[in-house]
Amino acid sequence: MMNLRILSGLTLALLMGGAYAQERETVYTKYLNFSALVDDASLQANWLGDGSTFWYTDGGPDKRIIWRVDPASNTKEPLFDVARLRVSLSKALGHEPPGSGVPFELFTLSPDGSAATFDLEGKQFSLDFSSYDTLQLPATDPAVTAAQARFTPRTFKRRGYFGSISDSGDTLSPDSKWFATLQDDDIVLRSTVDGRDQRLTFDGSPENAWDIESTRLRLGAGLTISFVPFSSWSPDSLKLWATKIDRSRLAKKYEVNFLKTEDELVVRPFTTAGGQPAHVVPFIVDILSGDATALELGDTRNFYFVLLAWQHDSSEVLFARYSRDFKTVDVMGANARTGEVRTLFTETAESFVNIQHDVIYFGNAGFTALEDARGFLWESTRDGWNHLYLYGPDGELVRQLTSGDYPVLDVVSVDPDREWVYFTAHGETPRVYDTHLYRVSLNGGRAQQLTEGTGQHAVKLSPSMQYFVDTHSTPDRAPQIDLRAVDGTLLRTLRQADIGALTQLGWTATEEFVVKAADGETDLWGVMHKPYDFDPSIRYPVLEYLYAGPQIVTANRSFAIGTSSSQNLPRAIAQLGYIVVTLDARGTPERSKAFQDVVYRNWGRHEIPDHAGAIQQLGARHEFMDLSQVGIWGHSWGGHFAFRALAQAPEVYHAAVSSAPGFDPYSSLLYEPYLDMPDRAKAAYEYASPFRLAPDIKGKLMLAVGTSDYATMTEAMKMSRALIDAGIHHEQVVMPQEGHGYTGKAEMYFIEALVDFFDRHLRP
């Protein structure tokens, strides 16, 4: 019999026929929902009143077990006796509950742990653990329901710095008497006592709107998003930090709603690079008098302001003031009564002191307040790496807490009693992107690594600061969840992810790799996805997914269970018979400051040489990579660089999909920290603009964009015109009423178009 494993991919496909193609399509489709192929990949630890003991659930609805874990005795036992519970519930319900396990997932324990209350079949019950008697509780009093509703946060429309409108949550005052919210661009309080509204300001408008803090976003690797609670309230619940944002002089972008009976034109204020910025004025608002006191800052144009923290006695609010070019940050304090401002300290950099997105979009200035007015922690790259510095309450530098050739990522928590700072960092050598938990004393000394094993470690500390739950994985190892003492001692493994469905379907592990940058010296790290039935004797076409923007790393170095089809696409599309590569090249974060500063005033010069060089090095190592068929795709700034790849490295890349591309560096202030201001760096802006590259495009190109993406729709159309004028044929995918991120059916429509594009242009 002929050995199929030595045949070319084309011959194999022809011999296998439609069944082979259908199998690939089936595997690909399931990989788009990768989380469904992996069970037990996460764990929610629900900490009890002692701050150390917790419970978590195992199993699905049909056979759920709820475990109680006591780290002090290192024991794990069922919280509910399932057999007794089900007998008791059968009596209370009049029939046996469904399944064979605990038929509910959420419950509330009494303070002494003697009883649990839960909802089941639309009714509320109470279980007595001593007798296992279940009692149906009376229907909730409407007055109680109304009171609960008054304590339920609502959402409000928030414009943010750049004028984009998003839903944000009301914030509850520390004394639980008021929710702070926005209505019609004014600040409004909602009483939890009687539900009435009390307007604090009366002069807000869309062009000159009030703003308060709400939940902050955090952007992580692989463009993953998390949410961090944050509030404008002073600790005494009597004042609010607020800003008033004048957008009346901003440039205008236009969004057209084509799907209504008559076209609707929506005007979007936007700040162009070097153009008029939003004028932001910080205030302290007294909720009793309604007085809004502007901070004594002089001219506040061309600055960004970020709330850091209130002093514990509510006498002062701390905030950061960033210069527009991000070369300077002032950490300042404002007297809560007078608005008088003092500067605690100032930091400068020749390039930029922070990643702009971290500060402006996500409110993360690298500041952590300490309890009892002991000062604060500050993150800085002043010694070439992102490290922690301890400052006193008046802004005096006490000491540098961490040092070495590695970057601190995030402060996880501070234990004020034991004076430990817990933080994550890439401290492993030579695996420069592995993430571990560390701790360092506020009194100085060497940082201690608390997690072990390669890969990415995501940790949750117990409220008591005595234990933590560690979820860790690598690209080729599914998540394992461990319980550790706070000194790093392993107590037990709580869960090991089950990839049985994945291996049954077919799985070839993702691989990490290291190549050299275009400078021939710097190590670059990436990941490679292969088909489920990978055969090294077959030559596969190659795809690269890139972002290459300066504010985030893209290669997922965990097992990477994405929450959307777009996040899972690099792994999924490999199942159609591609080798898929993702790389973080120079100019990106989470390495040294020098590694990231390569982008400064050099946008477009080093990204594609690094990426193209990586593909060539990998092709030289692996005969299974067919470098005569290489495609690339990216979204947003990834779309920008995917386009550049066809012009700057046509000998490597033969087809590209440029999705929601940010092409024009003059169009947005987002470029300013990385290119410098246009009046100081004209040559850098001209080089960064890819429109001049339109005549140089080789290979096949698809442009994709949503018509409601007012930030990049115009740029995509301008590029399309430039290509037409240059006689360059290209494809377009235009999705009506979609914004910068595609949703629902439009997301799948784009993915299908991308898959079809590469199938047509990279297959033999």
Side-chain angles (χ1 to χ4, degrees):
M1 181 177 178
M2 184 179 295
N3 186 353
L4 294 180
R5 296 184 67 83
I6 66 173
L7 297 176
S8 71
L10 175 60
T11 305
L12 181 62
L14 290 173
L15 287 175
M16 297 295 288
Y20 180 71
Q22 184 58 51
E23 179 183 289
R24 283 202 177 281
E25 183 71 24
T26 298
V27 176
Y28 155 77
T29 300
K30 291 187 176 182
Y31 267 66
L32 285 175
N33 185 19
F34 193 71
S35 62
L37 303 175
V38 183
D39 289 331
D40 299 329
S42 61
L43 182 150
Q44 176 63 51
N46 302 277
W47 304 99
L48 299 179
D50 62 4
S52 293
T53 309
F54 64 94
W55 61 267
Y56 71 94
T57 63
D58 250 348
D62 292 337
K63 49 183 179 180
R64 182 181 294 116
I65 299 176
I66 297 177
W67 297 102
R68 182 183 185 275
V69 179
D70 184 351
S73 59
N74 197 12
T75 57
K76 169 186 163 184
E77 57 188 10
L79 179 59
F80 295 93
D81 183 322
V82 175
R84 295 181 69 189
L85 172 66
R86 294 183 64 81
V87 169
S88 182
L89 286 175
S90 297
K91 294 179 180 178
L93 293 170
H95 60 85
E96 185 176 351
S100 60
V102 178
F104 52 84
E105 187 172 11
L106 300 177
F107 58 92
T108 302
L109 288 177
S110 61
D112 61 0
S114 64
T117 58
F118 51 88
D119 291 331
L120 189 63
E121 298 184 2
K123 304 172 184 176
Q124 190 174 47
F125 296 90
S126 176
L127 173 73
D128 185 319
F129 281 112
S130 61
S131 64
Y132 262 79
D133 290 335
T134 299
L135 175 67
Q136 181 179 338
L137 299 178
T140 305
D141 189 314
V144 174
T145 302
Q148 292 173 340
R150 291 196 298 270
F151 279 92
T152 302
R154 303 171 186 172
T155 60
F156 62 88
K157 299 296 182 182
R158 189 181 182 201
R159 295 182 184 274
Y161 256 105
F162 302 126
S164 57
I165 300 174
S166 61
D167 288 328
S168 296
D170 300 346
T171 56
L172 186 65
S173 60
D175 64 7
S176 300
K177 293 182 178 179
W178 300 95
F179 278 107
T181 188
L182 296 176
Q183 292 181 16
D184 300 323
D185 299 300
D186 275 311
I187 302 172
V188 175
L189 301 181
R190 176 165 55 86
S191 171
T192 60
V193 176
D194 56 17
R196 64 186 173 87
D197 288 344
Q198 175 180 312
R199 188 175 290 268
L200 286 182
T201 64
F202 298 87
D203 57 348
S205 68
E207 288 194 328
N208 200 1
W210 286 95
D211 186 42
I212 56 174
E213 288 286 347
S214 183
T215 301
R216 289 178 173 177
L217 302 180
R218 288 289 185 269
L219 190 62
L223 301 180
T224 56
I225 292 178
S226 58
F227 298 90
V228 179
F230 207 80
S231 172
S232 287
W233 285 100
S234 61
D236 63 8
S237 301
L238 296 178
K239 294 179 175 61
L240 289 166
W241 160 277
T243 54
K244 199 172 186 187
I245 307 177
D246 182 357
R247 302 183 181 88
S248 61
R249 301 177 66 186
L250 295 187
K252 302 294 190 296
K253 287 184 177 286
Y254 299 94
E255 174 188 332
V256 179
N257 185 342
F258 296 103
L259 301 185
K260 294 191 174 182
T261 303
E262 296 182 359
D263 291 351
E264 178 186 59
L265 184 66
V266 180
V267 180
R268 301 291 191 186
F270 208 78
T271 303
T272 58
Q276 286 286 344
H279 182 197
V280 181
V281 180
F283 286 82
I284 295 173
V285 181
D286 188 303
I287 72 163
L288 297 181
S289 66
D291 292 340
T293 302
L295 304 193
E296 296 179 1
L297 289 164
D299 188 359
T300 59
R301 297 182 189 275
N302 292 302
F303 289 100
Y304 302 102
F305 297 92
V306 178
L307 172 63
L308 300 177
W310 282 87
Q311 298 284 17
H312 297 282
D313 62 0
S314 301
S315 64
E316 186 179 47
V317 62
L318 301 181
F319 62 97
R321 179 180 68 181
Y322 286 86
S323 61
R324 179 172 173 174
D325 59 11
F326 261 72
K327 295 181 185 298
T328 302
V329 56
D330 302 299
V331 175
M332 313 180 85
N335 184 290
R337 182 176 58 84
T338 66
E340 182 180 356
V341 172
R342 65 182 179 126
T343 300
L344 279 71
F345 74 91
T346 297
E347 181 157 359
T348 62
E350 292 185 6
S351 56
F352 44 91
V353 292
N354 283 81
I355 296 172
Q356 186 198 55
H357 281 71
D358 282 352
V359 176
I360 304 308
Y361 272 111
F362 310 117
N364 180 18
F367 174 96
T368 303
L370 301 179
E371 290 187 4
D372 302 324
R374 296 180 59 185
F376 55 89
L377 305 178
W378 181 254
E379 297 175 32
S380 170
T381 57
R382 66 187 65 162
D383 76 348
W385 298 84
N386 195 53
H387 280 299
L388 296 176
Y389 295 80
L390 174 62
Y391 280 83
D394 292 322
E396 70 278 10
L397 176 62
V398 178
R399 65 179 58 90
Q400 182 173 348
L401 290 180
T402 62
S403 61
D405 292 348
Y406 67 91
V408 169
L409 300 179
D410 292 295
V411 174
V412 176
S413 190
V414 178
D415 184 344
D417 296 330
R418 302 169 187 87
E419 299 190 321
W420 287 113
V421 178
Y422 294 90
F423 64 94
T424 55
H426 293 325
E428 196 71 58
T429 302
R431 295 178 56 83
V432 298
Y433 286 102
D434 277 6
T435 301
H436 287 280
L437 178 68
Y438 299 80
R439 70 178 180 182
V440 67
S441 173
L442 287 170
N443 298 311
R446 186 179 180 85
Q448 304 173 14
Q449 181 175 320
L450 304 176
T451 49
E452 58 185 0
T454 58
Q456 304 300 306
H457 292 258
V459 300
K460 295 291 185 182
L461 265 71
S462 67
S464 68
M465 300 283 185
Q466 293 295 296
Y467 308 96
F468 65 88
V469 176
D470 173 23
T471 303
H472 54 98
S473 69
T474 63
D476 63 349
R477 177 175 60 80
Q480 177 175 308
I481 305 172
D482 296 328
L483 174 64
R484 292 181 178 270
V486 77
D487 64 358
T489 301
L490 177 65
L491 300 180
R492 63 170 56 236
T493 294
L494 297 170
R495 180 173 287 172
Q496 177 68 56
D498 179 2
I499 60 170
L502 178 62
T503 54
Q504 184 176 8
L505 182 65
W507 175 58
T508 299
T510 298
E511 297 178 9
E512 293 180 277
F513 63 82
V514 182
V515 294
K516 292 295 182 183
D519 64 3
E521 299 179 358
T522 307
D523 284 342
L524 304 178
W525 288 66
V527 296
M528 177 187 295
H529 304 292
K530 298 176 180 179
Y532 68 99
D533 57 351
F534 173 73
D535 183 341
S537 68
I538 295 176
R539 288 173 60 79
Y540 296 91
V542 177
L543 291 177
E544 181 179 2
Y545 169 65
L546 90 168
Y547 183 72
Q551 85 279 21
I552 189 172
V553 296
T554 306
N556 252 316
R557 296 174 175 86
S558 66
F559 203 67
I561 302 172
T563 57
S564 70
S565 296
S566 294
Q567 287 179 324
N568 289 323
L569 184 57
R571 192 198 306 263
I573 200 171
Q575 311 316 312
L576 294 175
Y578 293 97
I579 302 298
V580 180
V581 171
T582 302
L583 174 80
D584 290 304
R586 290 176 298 165
T588 55
E590 299 193 18
R591 297 277 293 271
S592 68
K593 178 63 171 165
F595 185 91
Q596 185 173 26
D597 274 355
V598 169
V599 72
Y600 183 64
R601 289 195 172 194
N602 284 314
W603 190 288
R605 293 187 185 275
H606 302 296
E607 294 89 349
I608 297 306
D610 275 0
H611 284 264
I615 295 294
Q616 291 171 318
Q617 291 172 64
L618 292 170
R621 293 178 195 173
H622 305 299
E623 291 187 2
F624 57 78
M625 294 178 66
D626 184 354
L627 296 197
S628 70
Q629 302 176 89
V630 180
I632 188 170
W633 91 92
H635 184 84
S636 193
W637 276 339
H640 173 116
F641 288 109
F643 173 89
R644 274 188 176 273
L646 290 188
Q648 291 181 281
E651 73 283 2
V652 175
Y653 300 101
H654 311 107
V657 173
S658 174
S659 173
F663 282 138
D664 186 359
Y666 290 102
S667 70
S668 173
L669 56 74
L670 294 178
Y671 293 87
E672 291 176 351
Y674 313 113
L675 276 73
D676 205 351
M677 300 301 292
D679 60 347
R680 298 195 297 249
K682 182 178 180 181
Y685 276 81
E686 291 300 313
Y687 190 88
S689 176
F691 294 104
R692 60 184 175 79
L693 299 177
D696 300 331
I697 289 295
K698 304 292 191 297
K700 304 299 183 180
L701 173 66
M702 173 190 287
L703 297 177
V705 70
T707 62
S708 293
D709 185 355
Y710 58 89
T712 68
M713 175 67 180
T714 300
E715 296 176 39
M717 294 301 101
K718 287 179 179 178
M719 182 58 77
S720 183
R721 185 70 224 188
L723 292 166
I724 291 171
D725 291 342
I728 304 297
H729 289 270
H730 58 286
E731 301 179 25
Q732 283 190 2
V733 173
V734 178
M735 288 159 283
Q737 222 60 28
E738 290 298 313
H740 198 57
Y742 315 138
T743 59
K745 291 184 178 180
E747 179 189 27
M748 288 309 303
Y749 181 84
F750 165 71
I751 289 174
E752 291 168 3
L754 178 146
V755 169
D756 175 71
F757 175 83
F758 286 129
D759 188 59
R760 286 185 283 114
H761 296 303
L762 294 183
R763 298 294 186 183

